Amino acid sequence: MEKEPAFYPDFDYPASQLSAFTFCIDVFIISLKNGEIVRFKPLEVAPFKEWLERFKIRDISVNDGIPYDDRTANLSKSSYGFLNLIKRNKRK
């Protein structure tokens, strides 16, 4: 069995340098592991997306990397004392 090609035709970066991607209209916006952001408009969208998925490049429209626990705000433990601020304003 042949190895999967690390480069996609007309795309300058190997899969090993890619961190995450998203797709907007007809352009892929790709985050590299070095922090750089690149844009790529392939001739055909589906094969490029399949190539990214084969190399397990994270699709941020599906998984933005934020743990579920961090998504839910707990206002009772606000670091800014939100509930205390409300109580003070009611006294005035």
Coordinates of all heavy atoms in Angstrom, one line a residue:
M1 N 0.8 -1.2 0.0 CA 0.0 0.0 0.0 C 0.9 1.2 0.0 O 1.8 1.4 0.8 CB -0.9 0.0 1.2 CG -1.9 1.1 1.3 SD -3.1 0.8 2.6 CE -2.8 2.2 3.6
E2 N 0.6 2.2 -0.9 CA 1.4 3.4 -0.9 C 1.0 4.3 0.2 O -0.1 4.3 0.8 CB 1.0 4.2 -2.2 CG 1.7 3.6 -3.4 CD 1.5 4.5 -4.6 OE1 1.5 5.7 -4.5 OE2 1.2 3.9 -5.7
K3 N 2.0 5.1 0.6 CA 1.8 6.1 1.7 C 0.9 7.2 1.2 O 1.0 7.6 0.0 CB 3.1 6.7 2.2 CG 3.8 5.8 3.2 CD 5.0 6.6 3.7 CE 5.1 6.2 5.2 NZ 6.1 7.1 5.8
E4 N 0.1 7.8 2.0 CA -0.7 8.9 1.7 C 0.2 10.1 1.4 O 1.1 10.4 2.1 CB -1.6 9.3 2.9 CG -2.7 10.2 2.6 CD -3.9 9.6 1.9 OE1 -4.2 8.5 2.3 OE2 -4.4 10.2 1.0
P5 N -0.1 10.9 0.3 CA 0.8 12.0 0.0 C 0.6 13.1 1.1 O -0.5 13.4 1.5 CB 0.3 12.5 -1.4 CG -1.1 11.9 -1.5 CD -1.1 10.7 -0.7
A6 N 1.8 13.6 1.5 CA 1.7 14.6 2.6 C 1.4 16.0 2.0 O 1.1 16.9 2.8 CB 3.1 14.6 3.3
F7 N 1.6 16.2 0.7 CA 1.2 17.4 0.1 C 0.0 17.3 -0.8 O -0.1 16.3 -1.4 CB 2.4 17.9 -0.8 CG 3.5 18.5 0.0 CD1 4.6 17.8 0.4 CD2 3.6 19.9 0.2 CE1 5.6 18.3 1.2 CE2 4.6 20.5 1.0 CZ 5.7 19.7 1.4
Y8 N -0.8 18.3 -0.8 CA -2.0 18.3 -1.7 C -1.6 19.1 -2.9 O -0.9 20.1 -2.8 CB -3.2 19.0 -1.0 CG -4.4 18.8 -1.8 CD1 -5.2 17.7 -1.7 CD2 -4.9 19.9 -2.6 CE1 -6.4 17.5 -2.5 CE2 -6.0 19.7 -3.4 CZ -6.8 18.6 -3.3 OH -7.9 18.4 -4.0
P9 N -2.0 18.7 -4.1 CA -1.6 19.5 -5.3 C -1.9 21.0 -5.2 O -3.0 21.3 -4.8 CB -2.4 18.8 -6.4 CG -2.7 17.4 -5.9 CD -2.8 17.6 -4.4
D10 N -1.0 21.8 -5.6 CA -1.1 23.3 -5.6 C -1.2 23.9 -4.2 O -1.5 25.1 -4.1 CB -2.2 23.7 -6.5 CG -2.1 23.3 -7.9 OD1 -0.9 23.3 -8.4 OD2 -3.1 23.0 -8.6
F11 N -1.0 23.1 -3.2 CA -1.0 23.6 -1.8 C 0.4 23.5 -1.3 O 1.0 22.5 -1.3 CB -2.0 22.9 -0.9 CG -2.2 23.4 0.4 CD1 -2.7 24.7 0.7 CD2 -1.9 22.6 1.6 CE1 -2.8 25.2 1.9 CE2 -2.0 23.1 2.8 CZ -2.5 24.4 3.0
D12 N 1.0 24.6 -0.8 CA 2.4 24.7 -0.4 C 2.8 24.1 0.9 O 4.0 24.0 1.2 CB 2.8 26.2 -0.4 CG 2.7 26.8 -1.8 OD1 2.8 26.1 -2.8 OD2 2.6 28.0 -1.9
Y13 N 1.9 23.6 1.7 CA 2.2 23.1 3.0 C 1.9 21.6 3.2 O 0.9 21.2 2.7 CB 1.5 23.9 4.1 CG 1.7 25.4 4.0 CD1 0.9 26.2 3.2 CD2 2.8 26.0 4.7 CE1 1.2 27.6 3.1 CE2 3.0 27.3 4.6 CZ 2.2 28.1 3.8 OH 2.5 29.5 3.7
P14 N 2.8 20.9 3.8 CA 2.5 19.5 4.1 C 1.5 19.3 5.2 O 1.4 20.2 6.1 CB 3.9 18.9 4.5 CG 4.6 20.0 5.1 CD 4.2 21.3 4.3
A15 N 0.8 18.2 5.3 CA -0.2 18.0 6.3 C 0.4 18.1 7.7 O -0.3 18.6 8.6 CB -0.8 16.6 6.1
S16 N 1.6 17.7 7.9 CA 2.3 17.8 9.2 C 2.4 19.2 9.8 O 2.6 19.3 11.0 CB 3.7 17.1 9.1 OG 4.5 17.9 8.3
Q17 N 2.3 20.2 9.0 CA 2.4 21.6 9.4 C 1.0 22.2 9.7 O 1.0 23.3 10.2 CB 3.1 22.5 8.4 CG 4.6 22.2 8.3 CD 5.2 23.1 7.3 OE1 4.7 24.1 6.9 NE2 6.5 22.8 7.0
L18 N -0.1 21.5 9.5 CA -1.4 22.1 9.6 C -2.0 21.8 11.0 O -1.8 20.7 11.5 CB -2.3 21.5 8.5 CG -1.8 21.6 7.1 CD1 -2.9 21.0 6.2 CD2 -1.4 23.0 6.7
S19 N -2.6 22.8 11.5 CA -3.2 22.6 12.9 C -4.8 22.5 12.8 O -5.4 21.6 13.4 CB -2.9 23.8 13.7 OG -3.5 23.7 15.0
A20 N -5.4 23.4 12.1 CA -6.9 23.4 12.0 C -7.3 24.2 10.8 O -6.5 24.9 10.2 CB -7.4 24.1 13.3
F21 N -8.6 24.0 10.5 CA -9.1 24.7 9.3 C -10.6 25.0 9.5 O -11.3 24.5 10.3 CB -8.9 23.9 8.0 CG -9.9 22.7 7.9 CD1 -11.1 22.9 7.2 CD2 -9.6 21.5 8.5 CE1 -12.0 21.8 7.0 CE2 -10.5 20.5 8.4 CZ -11.7 20.6 7.7
T22 N -11.1 26.0 8.6 CA -12.5 26.2 8.5 C -12.7 26.6 7.0 O -11.8 26.9 6.3 CB -13.0 27.4 9.4 OG1 -14.4 27.4 9.4 CG2 -12.4 28.7 9.0
F23 N -13.9 26.5 6.6 CA -14.3 26.8 5.2 C -15.3 27.9 5.2 O -16.3 27.8 5.9 CB -14.8 25.5 4.6 CG -15.2 25.6 3.1 CD1 -14.2 25.7 2.2 CD2 -16.5 25.7 2.7 CE1 -14.5 25.8 0.8 CE2 -16.8 25.8 1.4 CZ -15.8 25.9 0.5
C24 N -15.0 28.9 4.3 CA -16.0 30.0 4.2 C -16.1 30.3 2.7 O -15.2 30.7 2.0 CB -15.4 31.2 4.9 SG -16.5 32.6 4.9
I25 N -17.4 30.3 2.3 CA -17.8 30.5 0.9 C -17.0 29.5 0.0 O -17.5 28.4 -0.2 CB -17.6 31.9 0.5 CG1 -18.5 32.8 1.4 CG2 -18.1 32.1 -1.0 CD1 -18.3 34.3 1.2
D26 N -15.9 29.8 -0.6 CA -15.1 28.9 -1.4 C -13.6 28.9 -1.1 O -12.8 28.5 -1.9 CB -15.3 29.3 -2.9 CG -14.8 30.7 -3.2 OD1 -14.5 31.4 -2.3 OD2 -14.8 31.0 -4.4
V27 N -13.3 29.3 0.2 CA -11.9 29.4 0.6 C -11.7 28.7 1.9 O -12.5 28.8 2.8 CB -11.5 30.9 0.7 CG1 -10.1 31.0 1.3 CG2 -11.6 31.6 -0.6
F28 N -10.7 27.9 2.0 CA -10.3 27.3 3.2 C -9.3 28.2 4.0 O -8.4 28.8 3.4 CB -9.5 26.0 3.0 CG -10.4 24.8 2.6 CD1 -10.8 24.6 1.3 CD2 -11.0 24.0 3.6 CE1 -11.6 23.6 0.9 CE2 -11.8 23.0 3.2 CZ -12.1 22.7 1.9
I29 N -9.6 28.5 5.2 CA -8.7 29.3 6.1 C -8.1 28.3 7.0 O -8.7 27.5 7.8 CB -9.5 30.3 6.9 CG1 -10.2 31.2 5.9 CG2 -8.6 31.1 7.8 CD1 -11.3 32.1 6.5
I30 N -6.7 28.2 6.9 CA -6.0 27.1 7.6 C -5.0 27.7 8.6 O -4.2 28.7 8.2 CB -5.3 26.3 6.6 CG1 -6.3 25.7 5.6 CG2 -4.4 25.2 7.2 CD1 -5.7 25.2 4.3
S31 N -5.0 27.2 9.8 CA -4.0 27.6 10.8 C -2.9 26.6 10.8 O -3.1 25.4 10.9 CB -4.7 27.6 12.2 OG -3.8 27.7 13.2
L32 N -1.7 27.1 10.7 CA -0.5 26.3 10.7 C 0.0 26.1 12.2 O -0.4 27.0 13.0 CB 0.6 26.9 9.9 CG 0.3 27.2 8.4 CD1 1.5 27.8 7.7 CD2 -0.1 25.9 7.7
K33 N 0.8 25.1 12.4 CA 1.2 24.9 13.8 C 2.2 26.0 14.3 O 2.3 26.2 15.5 CB 1.9 23.5 13.9 CG 1.0 22.4 13.7 CD 1.6 21.0 13.8 CE 0.6 19.9 13.7 NZ 1.2 18.6 13.7
N34 N 2.7 26.7 13.4 CA 3.6 27.8 13.8 C 2.8 29.1 14.1 O 3.4 30.2 14.4 CB 4.7 28.1 12.8 CG 4.2 28.7 11.5 OD1 3.0 29.0 11.3 ND2 5.0 28.8 10.5
G35 N 1.5 29.1 14.0 CA 0.6 30.2 14.3 C 0.2 31.0 13.1 O -0.6 31.9 13.2
E36 N 0.8 30.8 11.9 CA 0.5 31.5 10.7 C -0.9 31.0 10.2 O -1.3 29.9 10.4 CB 1.6 31.2 9.7 CG 1.5 32.0 8.4 CD 2.6 31.6 7.4 OE1 3.6 31.0 7.8 OE2 2.4 32.0 6.2
I37 N -1.6 32.0 9.6 CA -2.9 31.7 8.9 C -2.7 31.8 7.4 O -2.2 32.8 7.0 CB -4.0 32.7 9.4 CG1 -4.1 32.6 10.9 CG2 -5.3 32.4 8.7 CD1 -4.6 31.4 11.5
V38 N -3.2 30.8 6.7 CA -3.1 30.8 5.2 C -4.5 30.6 4.7 O -5.3 30.0 5.3 CB -2.1 29.8 4.7 CG1 -0.7 30.1 5.1 CG2 -2.4 28.4 5.1
R39 N -4.7 31.0 3.4 CA -5.9 30.8 2.7 C -5.6 30.0 1.5 O -4.6 30.2 0.9 CB -6.5 32.1 2.3 CG -7.1 32.9 3.5 CD -7.4 34.3 3.2 NE -7.8 35.1 4.3 CZ -7.1 35.5 5.3 NH1 -5.8 35.2 5.4 NH2 -7.6 36.2 6.3
F40 N -6.6 29.1 1.2 CA -6.4 28.2 0.0 C -7.7 28.0 -0.7 O -8.7 27.7 0.0 CB -5.8 26.9 0.4 CG -5.5 26.0 -0.8 CD1 -4.7 26.3 -1.8 CD2 -6.2 24.8 -0.8 CE1 -4.4 25.5 -2.9 CE2 -6.0 23.9 -1.9 CZ -5.1 24.2 -2.9
K41 N -7.7 28.3 -2.0 CA -8.9 28.1 -2.8 C -8.7 27.0 -3.8 O -8.1 27.2 -4.9 CB -9.3 29.4 -3.5 CG -10.6 29.3 -4.3 CD -11.0 30.6 -4.9 CE -12.2 30.6 -5.7 NZ -12.6 31.9 -6.2
P42 N -9.1 25.7 -3.4 CA -8.8 24.6 -4.3 C -9.7 24.6 -5.5 O -10.8 25.2 -5.5 CB -9.1 23.4 -3.5 CG -10.1 23.9 -2.5 CD -9.8 25.3 -2.2
L43 N -9.3 23.9 -6.6 CA -10.2 23.8 -7.8 C -11.5 23.1 -7.4 O -12.5 23.4 -7.9 CB -9.4 23.1 -8.9 CG -8.2 23.9 -9.5 CD1 -7.5 23.1 -10.5 CD2 -8.7 25.2 -10.1
E44 N -11.3 22.0 -6.6 CA -12.5 21.2 -6.1 C -12.4 21.2 -4.6 O -11.4 20.8 -4.0 CB -12.4 19.8 -6.7 CG -12.6 19.8 -8.2 CD -12.6 18.4 -8.7 OE1 -13.4 17.6 -8.2 OE2 -11.9 18.1 -9.7
V45 N -13.5 21.5 -4.0 CA -13.6 21.6 -2.5 C -13.6 20.3 -1.8 O -12.8 20.0 -0.9 CB -14.9 22.4 -2.1 CG1 -15.1 22.3 -0.6 CG2 -14.7 23.9 -2.5
A46 N -14.4 19.4 -2.3 CA -14.6 18.1 -1.6 C -13.3 17.3 -1.5 O -13.0 16.8 -0.4 CB -15.7 17.3 -2.3
P47 N -12.5 17.1 -2.6 CA -11.3 16.3 -2.4 C -10.3 16.9 -1.4 O -9.6 16.2 -0.7 CB -10.7 16.3 -3.8 CG -11.8 16.6 -4.7 CD -12.8 17.5 -3.9
F48 N -10.2 18.3 -1.4 CA -9.3 18.9 -0.4 C -9.7 18.7 1.0 O -9.0 18.4 1.9 CB -9.1 20.4 -0.7 CG -8.1 21.1 0.2 CD1 -6.8 20.8 0.1 CD2 -8.5 22.0 1.1 CE1 -5.8 21.4 0.9 CE2 -7.6 22.6 1.9 CZ -6.2 22.3 1.8
K49 N -11.0 18.8 1.2 CA -11.6 18.6 2.6 C -11.4 17.1 3.0 O -11.0 16.9 4.1 CB -13.1 18.9 2.6 CG -13.6 18.9 4.0 CD -15.0 19.5 4.1 CE -15.5 19.7 5.5 NZ -15.9 18.5 6.1
E50 N -11.5 16.2 2.1 CA -11.3 14.8 2.4 C -9.8 14.6 2.7 O -9.5 13.8 3.6 CB -11.7 13.9 1.2 CG -13.2 13.8 1.0 CD -13.6 13.2 -0.3 OE1 -12.7 12.7 -1.0 OE2 -14.8 13.2 -0.6
W51 N -8.9 15.2 2.0 CA -7.5 15.1 2.3 C -7.2 15.6 3.7 O -6.4 15.0 4.5 CB -6.7 15.9 1.3 CG -5.2 15.9 1.4 CD1 -4.4 14.9 1.0 CD2 -4.4 16.9 2.0 NE1 -3.1 15.3 1.3 CE2 -3.1 16.5 1.9 CE3 -4.7 18.2 2.6 CZ2 -2.0 17.3 2.4 CZ3 -3.6 18.9 3.1 CH2 -2.3 18.4 3.0
L52 N -7.8 16.8 4.1 CA -7.6 17.3 5.5 C -8.1 16.3 6.5 O -7.5 16.1 7.5 CB -8.3 18.7 5.6 CG -7.8 19.8 4.8 CD1 -8.7 21.0 4.8 CD2 -6.4 20.3 5.3
E53 N -9.3 15.8 6.3 CA -9.9 14.8 7.2 C -9.0 13.5 7.3 O -8.9 13.0 8.4 CB -11.3 14.5 6.8 CG -12.2 15.7 7.0 CD -13.6 15.5 6.4 OE1 -13.8 14.5 5.6 OE2 -14.5 16.3 6.7
R54 N -8.4 13.1 6.2 CA -7.6 11.9 6.3 C -6.4 12.1 7.2 O -5.9 11.2 7.8 CB -7.1 11.5 4.9 CG -8.0 10.6 4.1 CD -7.3 9.9 2.9 NE -6.8 10.9 2.0 CZ -7.5 11.4 0.9 NH1 -8.6 10.9 0.6 NH2 -6.9 12.3 0.1
F55 N -5.9 13.3 7.2 CA -4.7 13.6 8.1 C -5.2 14.1 9.5 O -4.4 14.6 10.2 CB -3.8 14.6 7.4 CG -3.0 14.0 6.3 CD1 -3.3 14.1 5.0 CD2 -1.8 13.3 6.7 CE1 -2.5 13.5 4.0 CE2 -1.0 12.7 5.7 CZ -1.4 12.8 4.4
K56 N -6.5 14.0 9.7 CA -7.0 14.4 11.0 C -6.7 15.9 11.4 O -6.4 16.2 12.6 CB -6.6 13.4 12.1 CG -7.0 12.0 11.9 CD -6.6 11.1 13.0 CE -6.9 9.6 12.8 NZ -7.7 9.2 11.7
I57 N -6.9 16.7 10.4 CA -6.7 18.2 10.7 C -8.1 18.7 11.3 O -9.1 18.4 10.7 CB -6.4 19.0 9.4 CG1 -5.1 18.3 8.7 CG2 -6.1 20.4 9.7 CD1 -3.9 18.2 9.6
R58 N -8.0 19.3 12.4 CA -9.2 19.7 13.1 C -10.0 20.8 12.3 O -9.5 21.8 11.9 CB -8.8 20.3 14.5 CG -10.0 20.7 15.4 CD -9.5 21.0 16.8 NE -8.5 22.0 16.8 CZ -8.6 23.3 16.9 NH1 -9.8 23.8 17.1 NH2 -7.6 24.1 16.9
D59 N -11.3 20.5 12.2 CA -12.3 21.4 11.5 C -12.9 22.2 12.6 O -13.7 21.7 13.4 CB -13.3 20.6 10.8 CG -14.4 21.4 10.1 OD1 -14.4 22.7 10.3 OD2 -15.2 20.9 9.3
I60 N -12.6 23.5 12.7 CA -13.0 24.3 13.8 C -14.5 24.6 13.8 O -15.1 25.0 14.8 CB -12.3 25.6 14.0 CG1 -12.4 26.5 12.8 CG2 -10.8 25.3 14.3 CD1 -11.9 27.9 13.0
S61 N -15.2 24.3 12.6 CA -16.6 24.5 12.6 C -17.3 23.3 13.3 O -18.5 23.5 13.7 CB -17.1 24.6 11.1 OG -16.9 23.4 10.5
V62 N -16.6 22.3 13.5 CA -17.1 21.1 14.3 C -16.5 21.1 15.7 O -17.2 20.8 16.6 CB -16.7 19.8 13.5 CG1 -17.2 18.6 14.3 CG2 -17.4 19.8 12.1
N63 N -15.2 21.4 15.8 CA -14.6 21.3 17.1 C -13.7 22.5 17.2 O -12.6 22.5 16.6 CB -13.8 20.0 17.2 CG -12.9 19.9 18.4 OD1 -13.0 20.8 19.3 ND2 -12.2 18.9 18.6
D64 N -14.1 23.5 18.0 CA -13.3 24.7 18.1 C -12.1 24.6 19.2 O -11.4 25.5 19.4 CB -14.1 25.9 18.4 CG -14.9 25.8 19.7 OD1 -14.6 24.9 20.5 OD2 -15.8 26.6 20.0
G65 N -12.0 23.4 19.8 CA -10.9 23.2 20.7 C -11.2 23.7 22.1 O -10.4 23.5 23.0
I66 N -12.4 24.3 22.4 CA -12.7 24.7 23.7 C -13.4 23.6 24.4 O -14.5 23.2 24.0 CB -13.6 26.0 23.7 CG1 -12.8 27.1 23.0 CG2 -14.0 26.4 25.1 CD1 -13.7 28.4 22.7
P67 N -12.9 23.2 25.6 CA -13.6 22.1 26.3 C -15.1 22.5 26.7 O -15.3 23.7 27.0 CB -12.8 21.9 27.6 CG -11.5 22.5 27.3 CD -11.7 23.6 26.3
Y68 N -16.0 21.6 26.7 CA -17.4 21.9 26.9 C -17.6 22.5 28.3 O -18.4 23.4 28.4 CB -18.2 20.6 26.9 CG -19.7 20.8 27.1 CD1 -20.4 21.3 26.0 CD2 -20.3 20.6 28.3 CE1 -21.8 21.6 26.2 CE2 -21.6 20.8 28.5 CZ -22.4 21.3 27.5 OH -23.7 21.6 27.6
D69 N -16.8 22.2 29.3 CA -17.0 22.7 30.6 C -16.7 24.2 30.6 O -17.3 25.0 31.4 CB -16.0 22.1 31.6 CG -16.3 20.6 31.8 OD1 -17.4 20.2 31.5 OD2 -15.4 19.9 32.3
D70 N -15.9 24.7 29.8 CA -15.5 26.2 29.7 C -16.6 27.0 29.0 O -16.6 28.2 29.0 CB -14.2 26.4 29.1 CG -13.0 25.8 29.9 OD1 -13.3 25.6 31.1 OD2 -12.0 25.7 29.3
R71 N -17.5 26.4 28.3 CA -18.5 27.1 27.5 C -19.7 27.6 28.4 O -20.3 28.6 28.1 CB -19.2 26.1 26.5 CG -18.3 25.7 25.5 CD -19.0 24.7 24.6 NE -18.0 24.1 23.7 CZ -17.8 24.5 22.5 NH1 -18.4 25.6 22.0 NH2 -16.9 23.9 21.7
T72 N -19.9 27.0 29.5 CA -21.1 27.4 30.4 C -20.6 28.4 31.4 O -19.8 28.0 32.3 CB -21.7 26.2 31.0 OG1 -22.0 25.2 30.0 CG2 -23.0 26.5 31.7
A73 N -21.1 29.6 31.4 CA -20.7 30.6 32.4 C -21.4 30.2 33.7 O -22.6 29.9 33.7 CB -21.1 31.9 31.9
N74 N -20.7 30.3 34.8 CA -21.2 30.1 36.1 C -21.3 31.5 36.8 O -20.3 31.9 37.4 CB -20.4 29.1 36.9 CG -21.0 28.8 38.3 OD1 -21.9 29.5 38.7 ND2 -20.5 27.8 38.9
L75 N -22.4 32.2 36.7 CA -22.4 33.6 37.2 C -22.4 33.7 38.7 O -22.0 34.7 39.2 CB -23.7 34.2 36.7 CG -23.8 34.4 35.2 CD1 -25.1 35.0 34.8 CD2 -22.6 35.3 34.7
S76 N -22.6 32.6 39.4 CA -22.6 32.6 40.8 C -21.1 32.7 41.3 O -20.9 33.0 42.5 CB -23.3 31.4 41.5 OG -22.6 30.2 41.1
K77 N -20.2 32.3 40.4 CA -18.7 32.4 40.8 C -18.0 33.4 39.9 O -16.9 33.2 39.5 CB -18.1 31.0 40.6 CG -18.7 30.0 41.5 CD -18.0 28.7 41.4 CE -18.5 27.6 42.3 NZ -17.9 26.4 42.2
S78 N -18.6 34.5 39.6 CA -18.0 35.5 38.8 C -16.8 36.1 39.5 O -16.8 36.5 40.6 CB -19.0 36.6 38.5 OG -18.4 37.7 37.8
S79 N -15.7 36.2 38.7 CA -14.5 36.8 39.3 C -14.6 38.3 39.5 O -13.8 38.9 40.2 CB -13.3 36.5 38.3 OG -13.6 37.0 37.0
Y80 N -15.6 38.9 38.9 CA -15.9 40.3 39.1 C -16.9 40.7 40.1 O -17.3 41.8 40.3 CB -16.3 41.0 37.7 CG -15.2 40.8 36.7 CD1 -15.4 39.9 35.6 CD2 -14.0 41.5 36.7 CE1 -14.4 39.7 34.7 CE2 -13.0 41.3 35.8 CZ -13.3 40.4 34.7 OH -12.3 40.2 33.8
G81 N -17.4 39.6 40.8 CA -18.4 39.9 41.9 C -19.7 40.4 41.3 O -20.3 41.3 41.9
F82 N -20.2 39.8 40.2 CA -21.4 40.3 39.6 C -22.6 40.3 40.5 O -23.3 41.3 40.6 CB -21.7 39.4 38.4 CG -22.9 39.8 37.6 CD1 -22.8 41.0 36.8 CD2 -24.0 39.1 37.6 CE1 -23.9 41.3 36.1 CE2 -25.1 39.5 36.9 CZ -25.1 40.6 36.1
L83 N -22.7 39.3 41.3 CA -23.9 39.2 42.2 C -23.8 40.3 43.3 O -24.7 40.9 43.7 CB -24.1 37.8 42.8 CG -24.5 36.8 41.7 CD1 -24.5 35.4 42.4 CD2 -25.8 37.1 41.1
N84 N -22.5 40.5 43.8 CA -22.3 41.5 44.8 C -22.6 42.9 44.2 O -23.1 43.8 44.9 CB -20.9 41.5 45.4 CG -20.7 40.2 46.2 OD1 -21.6 39.7 46.8 ND2 -19.5 39.7 46.2
L85 N -22.3 43.1 43.0 CA -22.5 44.4 42.4 C -24.0 44.7 42.3 O -24.5 45.8 42.6 CB -21.9 44.4 41.0 CG -22.1 45.7 40.1 CD1 -21.5 46.9 40.8 CD2 -21.6 45.5 38.7
I86 N -24.8 43.7 42.0 CA -26.3 43.8 41.9 C -26.8 44.1 43.3 O -27.6 45.0 43.4 CB -26.9 42.5 41.4 CG1 -26.6 42.3 39.9 CG2 -28.4 42.6 41.5 CD1 -27.0 41.0 39.3
K87 N -26.3 43.5 44.3 CA -26.8 43.7 45.7 C -26.5 45.2 46.1 O -27.3 45.8 46.7 CB -26.1 42.8 46.7 CG -26.6 41.3 46.5 CD -25.9 40.4 47.5 CE -26.3 39.0 47.2 NZ -25.5 38.1 48.0
R88 N -25.3 45.7 45.8 CA -24.9 47.0 46.1 C -25.8 48.0 45.4 O -26.2 49.0 46.0 CB -23.5 47.3 45.7 CG -22.5 46.9 46.8 CD -21.1 47.4 46.5 NE -20.3 46.2 46.4 CZ -19.3 45.9 45.6 NH1 -19.1 46.8 44.6 NH2 -18.7 44.8 45.6
N89 N -26.1 47.8 44.1 CA -27.0 48.7 43.4 C -28.4 48.8 43.9 O -29.1 49.8 43.9 CB -27.0 48.4 41.9 CG -25.7 48.8 41.2 OD1 -24.9 49.6 41.7 ND2 -25.3 48.1 40.1
K90 N -28.9 47.7 44.5 CA -30.2 47.6 45.0 C -30.3 48.5 46.3 O -31.4 49.0 46.6 CB -30.7 46.2 45.3 CG -31.0 45.5 44.0 CD -31.5 44.1 44.3 CE -31.9 43.3 43.0 NZ -32.4 42.0 43.3
R91 N -29.3 48.5 47.0 CA -29.3 49.3 48.3 C -29.4 50.8 48.1 O -29.8 51.5 48.9 CB -28.0 49.0 49.1 CG -28.0 47.6 49.7 CD -26.7 47.4 50.5 NE -26.4 46.0 50.5 CZ -25.2 45.5 50.8 NH1 -24.2 46.3 51.1 NH2 -25.0 44.2 50.8
K92 N -28.9 51.3 47.0 CA -28.8 52.7 46.7 C -30.1 53.3 46.5 O -31.1 52.9 46.2 CB -27.9 53.0 45.5 CG -26.5 52.7 45.8 CD -25.6 53.1 44.6 CE -24.2 52.8 44.9 NZ -23.3 53.1 43.8

